[in-house]
Every structure is written in C-alpha cells, then in structure tokens.
Amino acid sequence: MTDQATGLASLPQKNVLVTVEEGVAWVKFNRPEKRNAFNPGIVYEMVQVLDVLEMEDSVGCVVITGAGEAFSAGQDLKEYFREPDAGHPVLRERLHKANSGWQWRRMMYFPKPTIAMVNGWCFGGAFQILLGCDLAIADEDATFGLSEINWGIIPAGIVTKSVAMALSQRKALYYIMTGETFDGRTAEDIGLVNFAVPKEQLVARTTALAKKLMEKNPNVLRACKTAYHYTREMSWDMAAEYLAAKSDQTKYRDPEDGSTKGMKQFLDEKSYRPGLGAYRRD
Ligand code: ACO
C-alpha cells in the first residue's frame, strides 16, 4: 500500500522513533533529555507518523511509549506554550490544532488498535495521548500527575473532558484539584490504565496484548472502537439505530466475512464455541 515516498522510509525518525516488529509499530517519543515533553517537533512528526502507520499494511497494532525515563512530561512549557504564545497567532493556532488533532481525534478513530505503554513520568498533556489510546499498560512505578493546578493553568487541550470520561467524579476532581502524583498501581486501581506491571515485564506484556488484538478480525475491531466512541455521545434510541446500521455496514464491508464463517463453524461444523475462543479466520 505504501511506497518509499510515503511509507516508513519517509519518516524523519528524529523527535519520534518508529520501528516495526512482527506487525507491531513501536512509536517512541524521542526527547529523553526533556522528558519527552511535546514540542512542535513531536507534534508535527506524530501527525506524519500516524499518516504513515494507518496506511502501512505491515502494521496491525500501534504501541506508543517514550525514550528514557519518561513517557512524556506533557506539553513543552517553553516550545509549546511560551514561545508560540509570544509569536504569530496563526502559527500558534496551527500548532494547537495539530496537537489536538493527533492526540485526540486522530487517536480516537485511528483505524488500528493502539496501546499506550507508560514507561515513566506522565504529566499534564500526556494524559491526552494516554487516554487517546484504546488500551494502556504502565510500569507499576511510573509517576502520573495532572500538575496543571500547581503552576496556574487548567488541564486544557481536551484533558479535562478525557479524564472526566475515564474516571469517577471523585477521582477526577481529586487529581485535577490537588495535582497530587500517583503511581502505576493506583492508575490501574482507578481505571486509568488496564494493567500495571513490573518494569521488566512491560515490553513482554505489551507485546502479548498487541498480539492478542492482532488475532482479531481487523475490520470488526475498527468498527467496535468507532461505535464505542460515537455511541457515548448519543441518546439510547439514536445509539440503537446507529448500531444496527453500523452492524450491517461492518458485515457488508468485512473482506473476510467473519460472521458467516463463525456461524458456519458453530452451527454447521460444530467446530468451535464463541464463548471459548475466536472463530478460525483462514
Ligand atoms: N516542558 C518543557 N521542558 C520540560 C518539561 C516540560 N513539560 N518537563 C521537563 N522539561 C525539561 C526540564 O526543563 C529540563 O530541561 P533542562 O535540562 O534544559 O533544564 C529537562 O526536561 C529535564 O527535566 P528535570 O526536571 O531536570 O528532570 P527530572 O527527572 O528531575 O524531573 C519531571 C522530571 C518530574 C517530569 C520534571 O521535569 C517536571 O516536573 N516536569 C514538568 C511536568 C509537568 O508539570 N508537565 C505538565 C506540563 S503542562 C501541560 O502538559 C498542559
């Protein structure tokens, strides 16, 4: 699908490093000396990375993580806030749009499964990409914090809304209002990440999860996440109608005709049980 001009070979591999292994794209923020704070370099490179990865047939799952001891220390206070705020307003607007584009909408509806692998510090704006990913695994000793309150801003971008969707009101407001840090185990307890594991197991557990996702029918997986995000904003009646239509569309567009195969294997061949595993895809 991709060629030299638009494919993996076209990526700068500067602020963001990308490697592909056995179908998993490992996307690593690469400013360890600045704790992977999101500067314009990361923002614009991530837009490019996502453009390439969604079209790259060799990629079935995307893992997002950070180089060094940080996942990300959030937005770059100097290069994302202070300098652009003092510069041309159109350029500032362009930067903010590109940032919310990749961290939020792009991730929410990204056509392949995504996993945040939180390997260390995770602050402020980094919550956006954390919650933009479908699933998340953290080092149990990673440090999380909505630190905005501590230096005079609110969790903006779309962080406050994302946190409100993911956590209970009590937990969300507690961390927003106190700025208190918490570790990976607490992040699992409050539902911010799926699992917290010892550092030495982080890559293996993430790889296993990515492989599990890649065993599923990718067409249906894509429709599942799209339907999840859209129906959250709909009334019950609208959601029921949308899901009926989305279900037909998913079946109609499925190149491997999964539902027919599954039914045949269960009803006719009696060769599998849906409750105990997946249908045979080949
Ligand atoms: N923006 C810009 N630069 C940053 C950021 C950031 N968010 N975070 C770290 N850096 C820089 C530091 O200024 C320092 O640069 P320097 O070497 O040129 O002085 C370098 O990264 C290393 O940072 P240290 O603080 O020395 O690293 P340490 O390991 O001691 O601490 C920690 C790491 C806890 C993450 C600390 O850097 C920190 O508190 N950073 C800010 C976290 C934060 O509040 N993020 C939210 C930003 S606002 C938002 O996202 C909306």
mmCIF file of all heavy atoms in Angstrom, residues 125-157:
data_model
loop_
_atom_site.group_PDB
_atom_site.id
_atom_site.type_symbol
_atom_site.label_atom_id
_atom_site.label_comp_id
_atom_site.label_asym_id
_atom_site.label_seq_id
_atom_site.Cartn_x
_atom_site.Cartn_y
_atom_site.Cartn_z
ATOM 1 N N GLY A 125 -0.478 17.206 29.618
ATOM 2 C CA GLY A 125 -0.921 16.905 28.255
ATOM 3 C C GLY A 125 -0.680 15.454 27.847
ATOM 4 O O GLY A 125 -1.324 14.956 26.921
ATOM 5 N N ALA A 126 0.219 14.761 28.553
ATOM 6 C CA ALA A 126 0.459 13.352 28.207
ATOM 7 C C ALA A 126 -0.753 12.489 28.531
ATOM 8 O O ALA A 126 -0.918 11.402 27.974
ATOM 9 C CB ALA A 126 1.689 12.832 28.947
ATOM 10 N N PHE A 127 -1.626 12.983 29.444
ATOM 11 C CA PHE A 127 -2.856 12.239 29.717
ATOM 12 C C PHE A 127 -3.719 12.153 28.463
ATOM 13 O O PHE A 127 -4.535 11.245 28.327
ATOM 14 C CB PHE A 127 -3.663 12.926 30.832
ATOM 15 C CG PHE A 127 -3.259 12.519 32.216
ATOM 16 C CD1 PHE A 127 -1.958 12.706 32.659
ATOM 17 C CD2 PHE A 127 -4.173 11.948 33.088
ATOM 18 C CE1 PHE A 127 -1.571 12.338 33.949
ATOM 19 C CE2 PHE A 127 -3.808 11.566 34.374
ATOM 20 C CZ PHE A 127 -2.513 11.770 34.811
ATOM 21 N N GLN A 128 -3.576 13.146 27.596
ATOM 22 C CA GLN A 128 -4.419 13.129 26.404
ATOM 23 C C GLN A 128 -4.092 11.955 25.498
ATOM 24 O O GLN A 128 -4.978 11.225 25.055
ATOM 25 C CB GLN A 128 -4.282 14.448 25.634
ATOM 26 C CG GLN A 128 -5.303 14.567 24.541
ATOM 27 C CD GLN A 128 -6.684 14.217 25.059
ATOM 28 O OE1 GLN A 128 -7.184 14.859 25.973
ATOM 29 N NE2 GLN A 128 -7.289 13.177 24.517
ATOM 30 N N ILE A 129 -2.801 11.758 25.257
ATOM 31 C CA ILE A 129 -2.434 10.633 24.388
ATOM 32 C C ILE A 129 -2.649 9.309 25.126
ATOM 33 O O ILE A 129 -3.051 8.308 24.533
ATOM 34 C CB ILE A 129 -0.996 10.790 23.841
ATOM 35 C CG1 ILE A 129 -0.677 9.700 22.836
ATOM 36 C CG2 ILE A 129 0.042 10.812 24.930
ATOM 37 C CD1 ILE A 129 -1.528 9.720 21.624
ATOM 38 N N LEU A 130 -2.432 9.330 26.438
ATOM 39 C CA LEU A 130 -2.699 8.127 27.246
ATOM 40 C C LEU A 130 -4.160 7.701 27.060
ATOM 41 O O LEU A 130 -4.463 6.530 26.816
ATOM 42 C CB LEU A 130 -2.414 8.442 28.719
ATOM 43 C CG LEU A 130 -2.891 7.435 29.753
ATOM 44 C CD1 LEU A 130 -2.140 6.124 29.603
ATOM 45 C CD2 LEU A 130 -2.710 7.989 31.161
ATOM 46 N N LEU A 131 -5.077 8.673 27.166
ATOM 47 C CA LEU A 131 -6.498 8.349 27.040
ATOM 48 C C LEU A 131 -6.952 8.299 25.586
ATOM 49 O O LEU A 131 -8.015 7.770 25.277
ATOM 50 C CB LEU A 131 -7.334 9.354 27.841
ATOM 51 C CG LEU A 131 -7.175 9.172 29.355
ATOM 52 C CD1 LEU A 131 -7.684 10.385 30.114
ATOM 53 C CD2 LEU A 131 -7.896 7.914 29.822
ATOM 54 N N GLY A 132 -6.117 8.842 24.696
ATOM 55 C CA GLY A 132 -6.419 8.729 23.263
ATOM 56 C C GLY A 132 -6.187 7.310 22.760
ATOM 57 O O GLY A 132 -6.818 6.867 21.799
ATOM 58 N N CYS A 133 -5.287 6.582 23.410
ATOM 59 C CA CYS A 133 -5.034 5.185 23.017
ATOM 60 C C CYS A 133 -6.179 4.299 23.515
ATOM 61 O O CYS A 133 -6.797 4.570 24.535
ATOM 62 C CB CYS A 133 -3.720 4.700 23.620
ATOM 63 S SG CYS A 133 -2.261 5.424 22.842
ATOM 64 N N ASP A 134 -6.410 3.219 22.782
ATOM 65 C CA ASP A 134 -7.509 2.317 23.154
ATOM 66 C C ASP A 134 -7.267 1.681 24.519
ATOM 67 O O ASP A 134 -8.177 1.555 25.332
ATOM 68 C CB ASP A 134 -7.637 1.186 22.128
ATOM 69 C CG ASP A 134 -7.862 1.718 20.725
ATOM 70 O OD1 ASP A 134 -8.568 2.736 20.599
ATOM 71 O OD2 ASP A 134 -7.323 1.122 19.773
ATOM 72 N N LEU A 135 -6.042 1.223 24.732
ATOM 73 C CA LEU A 135 -5.701 0.489 25.950
ATOM 74 C C LEU A 135 -4.385 1.043 26.501
ATOM 75 O O LEU A 135 -3.656 1.733 25.765
ATOM 76 C CB LEU A 135 -5.550 -1.010 25.646
ATOM 77 C CG LEU A 135 -6.769 -1.705 25.006
ATOM 78 C CD1 LEU A 135 -6.422 -3.140 24.635
ATOM 79 C CD2 LEU A 135 -7.977 -1.674 25.925
ATOM 80 N N ALA A 136 -4.097 0.740 27.759
ATOM 81 C CA ALA A 136 -2.855 1.268 28.339
ATOM 82 C C ALA A 136 -2.285 0.301 29.362
ATOM 83 O O ALA A 136 -3.026 -0.309 30.136
ATOM 84 C CB ALA A 136 -3.120 2.622 28.997
ATOM 85 N N ILE A 137 -0.955 0.188 29.331
ATOM 86 C CA ILE A 137 -0.228 -0.613 30.319
ATOM 87 C C ILE A 137 0.854 0.284 30.901
ATOM 88 O O ILE A 137 1.511 1.021 30.158
ATOM 89 C CB ILE A 137 0.436 -1.847 29.668
ATOM 90 C CG1 ILE A 137 -0.623 -2.717 28.991
ATOM 91 C CG2 ILE A 137 1.222 -2.645 30.688
ATOM 92 C CD1 ILE A 137 -0.089 -4.036 28.459
ATOM 93 N N ALA A 138 1.021 0.217 32.220
ATOM 94 C CA ALA A 138 2.022 1.091 32.847
ATOM 95 C C ALA A 138 3.025 0.295 33.659
ATOM 96 O O ALA A 138 2.704 -0.754 34.221
ATOM 97 C CB ALA A 138 1.334 2.096 33.771
ATOM 98 N N ASP A 139 4.226 0.819 33.710
ATOM 99 C CA ASP A 139 5.200 0.385 34.709
ATOM 100 C C ASP A 139 4.552 0.699 36.068
ATOM 101 O O ASP A 139 4.059 1.820 36.274
ATOM 102 C CB ASP A 139 6.485 1.206 34.512
ATOM 103 C CG ASP A 139 7.530 0.950 35.593
ATOM 104 O OD1 ASP A 139 7.211 0.328 36.628
ATOM 105 O OD2 ASP A 139 8.663 1.401 35.400
ATOM 106 N N GLU A 140 4.552 -0.260 36.984
ATOM 107 C CA GLU A 140 3.856 -0.016 38.258
ATOM 108 C C GLU A 140 4.495 1.124 39.049
ATOM 109 O O GLU A 140 3.856 1.730 39.894
ATOM 110 C CB GLU A 140 3.770 -1.302 39.092
ATOM 111 C CG GLU A 140 5.107 -1.918 39.418
ATOM 112 C CD GLU A 140 4.975 -3.305 40.050
ATOM 113 O OE1 GLU A 140 3.872 -3.894 40.021
ATOM 114 O OE2 GLU A 140 5.994 -3.794 40.572
ATOM 115 N N ASP A 141 5.748 1.450 38.725
ATOM 116 C CA ASP A 141 6.406 2.565 39.421
ATOM 117 C C ASP A 141 6.397 3.863 38.614
ATOM 118 O O ASP A 141 7.057 4.840 39.007
ATOM 119 C CB ASP A 141 7.858 2.182 39.754
ATOM 120 C CG ASP A 141 7.911 1.061 40.773
ATOM 121 O OD1 ASP A 141 7.051 1.055 41.686
ATOM 122 O OD2 ASP A 141 8.776 0.172 40.659
ATOM 123 N N ALA A 142 5.687 3.886 37.494
ATOM 124 C CA ALA A 142 5.587 5.134 36.718
ATOM 125 C C ALA A 142 4.887 6.194 37.574
ATOM 126 O O ALA A 142 4.116 5.854 38.474
ATOM 127 C CB ALA A 142 4.790 4.895 35.433
ATOM 128 N N THR A 143 5.169 7.465 37.281
ATOM 129 C CA THR A 143 4.532 8.549 38.053
ATOM 130 C C THR A 143 3.601 9.354 37.153
ATOM 131 O O THR A 143 4.024 9.845 36.107
ATOM 132 C CB THR A 143 5.600 9.493 38.647
ATOM 133 O OG1 THR A 143 6.481 8.715 39.459
ATOM 134 C CG2 THR A 143 4.964 10.582 39.494
ATOM 135 N N PHE A 144 2.359 9.464 37.606
ATOM 136 C CA PHE A 144 1.333 10.209 36.870
ATOM 137 C C PHE A 144 0.982 11.473 37.629
ATOM 138 O O PHE A 144 0.972 11.462 38.865
ATOM 139 C CB PHE A 144 0.048 9.371 36.764
ATOM 140 C CG PHE A 144 0.184 8.100 35.966
ATOM 141 C CD1 PHE A 144 0.792 6.986 36.507
ATOM 142 C CD2 PHE A 144 -0.318 8.026 34.670
ATOM 143 C CE1 PHE A 144 0.913 5.809 35.778
ATOM 144 C CE2 PHE A 144 -0.208 6.860 33.943
ATOM 145 C CZ PHE A 144 0.400 5.753 34.485
ATOM 146 N N GLY A 145 0.623 12.527 36.916
ATOM 147 C CA GLY A 145 0.160 13.719 37.615
ATOM 148 C C GLY A 145 -0.515 14.722 36.695
ATOM 149 O O GLY A 145 -0.029 14.998 35.596
ATOM 150 N N LEU A 146 -1.665 15.226 37.169
ATOM 151 C CA LEU A 146 -2.301 16.365 36.491
ATOM 152 C C LEU A 146 -1.767 17.600 37.202
ATOM 153 O O LEU A 146 -2.387 18.139 38.121
ATOM 154 C CB LEU A 146 -3.831 16.242 36.591
ATOM 155 C CG LEU A 146 -4.407 15.128 35.722
ATOM 156 C CD1 LEU A 146 -5.824 14.766 36.148
ATOM 157 C CD2 LEU A 146 -4.378 15.528 34.239
ATOM 158 N N SER A 147 -0.579 18.005 36.780
ATOM 159 C CA SER A 147 0.179 19.006 37.532
ATOM 160 C C SER A 147 -0.242 20.443 37.235
ATOM 161 O O SER A 147 0.264 21.378 37.865
ATOM 162 C CB SER A 147 1.665 18.856 37.188
ATOM 163 O OG SER A 147 1.828 18.936 35.784
ATOM 164 N N GLU A 148 -1.181 20.617 36.290
ATOM 165 C CA GLU A 148 -1.510 21.975 35.834
ATOM 166 C C GLU A 148 -1.817 22.934 36.983
ATOM 167 O O GLU A 148 -1.368 24.076 37.006
ATOM 168 C CB GLU A 148 -2.705 21.930 34.864
ATOM 169 C CG GLU A 148 -2.358 21.370 33.483
ATOM 170 C CD GLU A 148 -2.495 19.854 33.372
ATOM 171 O OE1 GLU A 148 -2.455 19.175 34.420
ATOM 172 O OE2 GLU A 148 -2.638 19.353 32.249
ATOM 173 N N ILE A 149 -2.612 22.449 37.958
ATOM 174 C CA ILE A 149 -3.026 23.317 39.075
ATOM 175 C C ILE A 149 -1.826 23.893 39.813
ATOM 176 O O ILE A 149 -1.887 24.982 40.367
ATOM 177 C CB ILE A 149 -3.932 22.515 40.064
ATOM 178 C CG1 ILE A 149 -4.569 23.409 41.130
ATOM 179 C CG2 ILE A 149 -3.162 21.390 40.744
ATOM 180 C CD1 ILE A 149 -5.632 24.306 40.612
ATOM 181 N N ASN A 150 -0.721 23.155 39.764
ATOM 182 C CA ASN A 150 0.462 23.579 40.534
ATOM 183 C C ASN A 150 1.190 24.748 39.904
ATOM 184 O O ASN A 150 2.092 25.308 40.514
ATOM 185 C CB ASN A 150 1.430 22.410 40.704
ATOM 186 C CG ASN A 150 0.866 21.356 41.638
ATOM 187 O OD1 ASN A 150 0.089 21.690 42.523
ATOM 188 N ND2 ASN A 150 1.227 20.114 41.432
ATOM 189 N N TRP A 151 0.879 25.066 38.676
ATOM 190 C CA TRP A 151 1.551 26.239 38.124
ATOM 191 C C TRP A 151 0.619 27.167 37.352
ATOM 192 O O TRP A 151 1.029 27.903 36.458
ATOM 193 C CB TRP A 151 2.793 25.847 37.338
ATOM 194 C CG TRP A 151 2.601 24.848 36.255
ATOM 195 C CD1 TRP A 151 2.521 23.511 36.375
ATOM 196 C CD2 TRP A 151 2.473 25.145 34.877
ATOM 197 N NE1 TRP A 151 2.330 22.936 35.152
ATOM 198 C CE2 TRP A 151 2.313 23.920 34.216
ATOM 199 C CE3 TRP A 151 2.472 26.328 34.124
ATOM 200 C CZ2 TRP A 151 2.146 23.838 32.844
ATOM 201 C CZ3 TRP A 151 2.315 26.232 32.755
ATOM 202 C CH2 TRP A 151 2.161 25.005 32.144
ATOM 203 N N GLY A 152 -0.689 27.115 37.752
ATOM 204 C CA GLY A 152 -1.570 28.205 37.348
ATOM 205 C C GLY A 152 -2.318 28.066 36.050
ATOM 206 O O GLY A 152 -2.704 29.068 35.438
ATOM 207 N N ILE A 153 -2.547 26.829 35.580
ATOM 208 C CA ILE A 153 -3.418 26.650 34.418
ATOM 209 C C ILE A 153 -4.390 25.506 34.709
ATOM 210 O O ILE A 153 -4.224 24.767 35.688
ATOM 211 C CB ILE A 153 -2.637 26.352 33.117
ATOM 212 C CG1 ILE A 153 -1.868 25.033 33.234
ATOM 213 C CG2 ILE A 153 -1.712 27.498 32.747
ATOM 214 C CD1 ILE A 153 -1.349 24.532 31.898
ATOM 215 N N ILE A 154 -5.389 25.368 33.857
ATOM 216 C CA ILE A 154 -6.292 24.227 33.995
ATOM 217 C C ILE A 154 -5.842 23.140 33.016
ATOM 218 O O ILE A 154 -5.160 23.439 32.028
ATOM 219 C CB ILE A 154 -7.762 24.608 33.704
ATOM 220 C CG1 ILE A 154 -7.946 25.056 32.244
ATOM 221 C CG2 ILE A 154 -8.221 25.712 34.652
ATOM 222 C CD1 ILE A 154 -9.393 25.175 31.824
ATOM 223 N N PRO A 155 -6.203 21.873 33.250
ATOM 224 C CA PRO A 155 -5.901 20.829 32.258
ATOM 225 C C PRO A 155 -6.740 21.077 31.006
ATOM 226 O O PRO A 155 -7.930 20.775 30.972
ATOM 227 C CB PRO A 155 -6.300 19.521 32.957
ATOM 228 C CG PRO A 155 -6.430 19.861 34.413
ATOM 229 C CD PRO A 155 -6.845 21.304 34.444
ATOM 230 N N ALA A 156 -6.107 21.684 30.030
ATOM 231 C CA ALA A 156 -6.862 22.088 28.838
ATOM 232 C C ALA A 156 -6.573 21.116 27.702
ATOM 233 O O ALA A 156 -6.454 19.919 27.942
ATOM 234 C CB ALA A 156 -6.534 23.532 28.480
ATOM 235 N N GLY A 157 -6.427 21.643 26.459
ATOM 236 C CA GLY A 157 -6.481 20.734 25.326
ATOM 237 C C GLY A 157 -7.854 20.092 25.445
ATOM 238 O O GLY A 157 -8.866 20.794 25.525
#
